[in-house]
Each structure stands twice: as structure tokens, then as C-alpha cells.
Amino acid sequence: MSARQSIRILRSTAAARSVIRSAASKRAFTALAVAATRPAVAASTAAPIRPIVQQRGLKSINFGGTEEVVHERGDWPREKLLDYFKNDTLALIGYGSQGYGQGLNLRDNGINVIIGVRKDGASWKAAIEDGWVPGKNLFDVDTAIQKGTIVMNLLSDAAQSETWPHIKPLLTKGKTLYFSHGFSPVFKDLTKVETPKDIDVILVAPKGSGRTVRSLFKEGRGINSSYAVWQDVTGKAEEKAIALAVAVGSGYIYKTTFEKEVRSDLYGERGCLMGGIHGMFLAQYEVLRERGHSPSEAFNETVEEATQSLYPLIGKYGMDYMYDACSTTARRGALDWSPKFKDALKPVFNELYDRVVDGSETKRSLEFNSQPDYRDKFEKELQEIRELEIWRVGKEVRKLRPENN
């Protein structure tokens, strides 16, 4: 089925448009990830915050037969957030992808947030470009932690492990330690991140990159996030985590544990989100090329139609809608072959999950990312991907899109 064919089907009747509106309403929680580039944001030119219209309050939602409690942004309006954090200083350590997104969102929400990074390093310079001011809300790591009541450790997983012996003594009683990934405390036997016993330890994990956290916030929307409590000393750790989730730009928030968050995250990014989908793209493309199809045809049938036509519709309305929208021939083939792919892939996914649980994936990540030349090695691997025919073809195909002409 071609992209044009699916578009014709979607637009063919008023009934189809009605289905779209109905389906969109039923799936109001879904947000498409929108790519964002780093803007140079001055403190005085922060993006205006759109008014929040609360549609419903906190309640239990039935997710496919399982009841879960969901917290929404509307449960924590900006005025409530400002009052809740009026006596706090949020010290955000690290200014990578998540530090950038969460930090700017906190600042735009009016929360007292400061950044802690190595002085005059790349992150320090990037923070200045985004409007953070040295001595006002940009400090070295030690100073930021000492000033903070809530310490947001958003360093990379490997960096968290490397810096922990220095950071831990600064986490004195009364502070709160915040993570956006359960990696370090869950795999403490490998990371050596043993958290102090006299502080609250919480987690807010946005379900997307820091760039998406920022772009969805600027659009007046919000990323979906999970939250968890590792240690509750004050009795207020869960409430604090929920409030912080909204403050960093979440649209709605669901509860998990540190263990489940890190397992699902490592598993997902190695599977359908990144590793698995790339492997499937390559396999399909290579078979088409080996069977005599041209590069442009192989790419369009493998990647372009998926990302430009089908995946966005699945994201908006669901797989059932996609099946219903395609031709009868495509529908029949997809339904027949889906179980075959599931049966073939499920053993691989079980192997992957076992490796996540037993720490093999953590060990591999720490060993590689702790090497002094890991950036050079990583760049070499990326260059190998760039040089694959499929992605060189993709670069040319993207130029042909009308919006790029």
C-alpha cells in the first residue's frame, strides 16, 4: 500500500473523517513525539505558557481491563506548583538532553531552579547560550548541590557512577535526591550508587528525549512520564515526585517502581524503539535490494511510507484504525503475517529482558561508556550507520519531500 493510497482512503468519505474525530477523542492521552532543535533561549524571552484547561481531575482509569490511578497536569496548576516549591531550590546537575528540557521547563514554570555543571566545559557554555547566568542560576556542581534542597541528578548513567563518591557526601539530611532513570540505584552493585538513608529518593522519567520534553511543553502539551519512590523519609516523597513531574513538563503521570522503570526503559530502547526497529528496517531493505528492487523503491517501501504515512496514524489512532484504513489486500497480509513475526521475535525479546534483569546490559553500558575514548568509538559506529546504503538513500529521498523544496 502506498502513502498516496492510504491518504486517499483517509479522505474519501465524511464517515472516515467522523471516525478520525471519534478515535482521536478516545485516545486523547497519546502524544506524537515532535523533534526539537536546541534554541538559544534568553532568560527574558522564555516561551509563554499557554493557559491550562483542566478536563478532569485525578481518577482511576481502565487501561485495557486494568485499573490505574493517573495524575494530570490539571491536578497541579501553576499557582499550586509555585506555592508547593516556594521554599525550595532545585539544583539540576548535568545539562545534557534531559537537563536541557527539564531545566528550561522548570524555569519557564517559575520554579527556583539552578544548573550545576563543570565550569567552562561544553555543558557550561551550552547553558549560557540558553540564558542561564553564572553566579545567578548557573554554578559548578558542588556549589549547586550545596544550594539545592532538591538535587536532580541528570548526569549520564556512566557519569553518575563515576562522580558518585564525590557527590554522595554533599547529599546531606533534609535534601531530596531526584533521578530520571532507575539505572544507578537499581544496579548499585555495578554502579556503586548507594543512596544516603536519611533523604527522600524519587524518580520522574519522561517517556521521550529531553528535546521532546521541551518541544511538547512549548506547544502547550506535555510529555507522558512515570514516577516512583525509592526511599520515603519525610512521608511526602510521592507527592513531591508527582509535583515535580508536572513542573518539568509532564502532561499526565503514572506510577511505577525504580526497578520496573529501568527494566522497561532498557528493554524498550533496545527493542521496538530503536534497536529492533533498525534491525527490521535493514532486513527488509536488504532483501528487497537482493531481489532486484531499486534503492529508492526499497527505501520508500521500508522506511518512508512507514514513518511518513502509517506510523503517525498508528500513533494518533491505534493499530486497529490503521488496519481498518488500509486496502483489503494489505489488511489480509498484515493480519496473516503479524503472528509469524511475533512468534519469531518473542524469543529474542525474552532473551533481551533476561539480560536487562540480570545486569548484563548495564554492565555492557558502563564498561563501554566509561572508556576514555568512548565518544570516538561511538562516532565511528554512527559513521558506519551513516554510510549504509539505506540511510544514504534516505538522505536523498528526504530532499524530495515537498516541504524541503
Side-chain angles (χ1 to χ4, degrees):
M1 180 183 65
S2 69
R4 290 192 299 273
Q5 191 177 8
S6 65
I7 292 171
R8 276 202 308 273
I9 293 169
L10 291 174
R11 293 177 177 174
S12 61
T13 65
R17 289 191 292 270
S18 176
V19 169
I20 292 174
R21 288 192 296 270
S22 174
S25 175
K26 292 178 181 178
R27 297 173 172 88
F29 287 140
T30 305
L32 286 177
V34 180
T37 57
R38 175 192 290 276
V41 181
S44 60
T45 60
I49 308 302
R50 297 186 182 182
I52 296 171
V53 179
Q54 184 171 358
Q55 295 182 337
R56 66 167 180 80
L58 169 66
K59 62 169 64 174
S60 178
I61 305 296
N62 188 304
F63 289 99
T66 299
E67 294 288 330
E68 294 185 41
V69 172
V70 171
H71 302 266
E72 285 190 301
R73 178 174 54 186
D75 301 322
W76 284 85
R78 184 173 179 178
E79 295 75 16
K80 183 177 178 180
L81 288 174
L82 292 175
D83 182 66
Y84 189 82
F85 292 114
K86 63 185 178 183
N87 296 320
D88 285 303
T89 297
L90 278 60
L92 194 155
I93 309 304
Y95 201 67
S97 176
Q98 285 295 333
Y100 155 79
Q102 294 187 39
L104 291 177
N105 291 355
L106 286 166
R107 190 177 74 184
D108 284 357
N109 267 332
I111 307 298
N112 182 22
V113 56
I114 61 176
I115 303 296
V117 291
R118 182 170 57 86
K119 190 173 182 180
D120 296 326
S123 293
W124 179 276
K125 295 173 183 176
I128 291 175
E129 289 177 4
D130 289 338
W132 302 94
V133 180
K136 178 183 177 183
N137 51 22
L138 176 60
F139 302 92
D140 62 77
V141 172
D142 287 17
T143 302
I145 294 177
Q146 289 164 359
K147 287 178 174 291
T149 57
I150 299 174
V151 178
M152 306 172 69
N153 193 340
L154 297 183
L155 293 168
S156 69
D157 295 323
Q160 286 185 18
S161 180
E162 292 168 5
T163 60
W164 187 248
H166 179 77
I167 287 178
K168 183 178 180 179
L170 303 175
L171 299 171
T172 53
K173 184 176 181 179
K175 294 183 185 291
T176 295
L177 178 59
Y178 168 109
F179 292 100
S180 279
H181 192 19
F183 189 99
S184 291
V186 170
F187 294 110
K188 58 186 177 183
D189 290 345
L190 293 169
T191 65
K192 308 306 179 186
V193 176
E194 184 79 50
T195 59
K197 301 298 184 184
D198 55 355
I199 64 173
D200 288 346
V201 181
I202 59 178
L203 171 147
V204 173
K207 301 296 107 179
S209 72
R211 298 296 182 268
T212 309
V213 171
R214 181 61 177 162
S215 65
L216 292 179
F217 176 84
K218 290 173 68 177
E219 292 171 16
R221 298 161 66 189
I223 193 81
N224 305 330
S225 301
S226 61
Y227 76 92
V229 174
W230 180 258
Q231 191 166 275
D232 186 1
V233 173
T234 64
K236 298 180 179 179
E238 182 170 6
E239 179 183 62
K240 204 180 307 180
I242 295 168
L244 280 167
V246 175
V248 300
S250 304
Y252 79 86
I253 309 104
Y254 61 92
K255 188 174 183 178
T256 187
T257 66
F258 271 63
E259 292 85 356
K260 289 179 179 177
E261 187 282 329
V262 71
R263 289 175 182 177
S264 62
D265 186 81
L266 295 180
Y267 173 76
E269 62 199 12
R270 284 154 176 74
C272 288
L273 299 180
M274 295 174 67
I277 199 67
H278 189 202
M280 194 163 71
F281 279 158
L282 292 176
Q284 178 166 310
Y285 180 88
E286 288 175 5
V287 167
L288 285 171
R289 293 287 289 121
E290 290 161 4
R291 299 299 182 105
H293 294 266
S294 69
S296 62
E297 183 173 48
F299 186 85
N300 273 284
E301 292 294 342
T302 299
V303 180
E304 190 76 350
E305 185 172 351
T307 58
Q308 297 303 296
S309 176
L310 306 188
Y311 290 176
L313 292 175
I314 295 170
K316 282 186 176 181
Y317 309 124
M319 183 62 74
D320 58 331
Y321 179 82
M322 190 63 257
Y323 278 136
D324 193 46
C326 70
S327 70
T328 56
T329 301
R331 184 186 307 159
R332 184 67 266 146
L335 290 169
D336 288 345
W337 278 88
S338 174
K340 296 179 186 292
F341 278 108
K342 190 195 82 168
D343 292 343
L345 291 171
K346 194 168 181 181
V348 177
F349 277 101
N350 269 310
E351 178 188 358
L352 169 57
Y353 194 85
D354 288 340
R355 284 183 56 84
V356 168
V357 172
D358 69 19
S360 298
E361 291 302 304
T362 295
K363 186 172 184 291
R364 162 70 173 155
S365 179
L366 288 174
E367 287 177 348
F368 183 86
N369 295 328
S370 297
Q371 296 174 21
D373 60 345
Y374 90 93
R375 292 184 186 276
D376 294 334
K377 291 180 177 178
F378 175 61
E379 177 56 32
K380 182 180 178 181
E381 290 180 296
L382 286 185
Q383 187 59 34
E384 290 173 356
I385 292 175
R386 293 187 193 104
E387 291 303 318
L388 289 172
E389 183 186 85
I390 183 174
W391 302 119
R392 288 189 286 113
V393 172
K395 185 176 181 180
E396 297 306 312
V397 169
R398 286 192 293 275
K399 292 177 183 177
L400 299 175
R401 294 175 188 167
E403 66 269 23
N404 293 331
N405 290 324

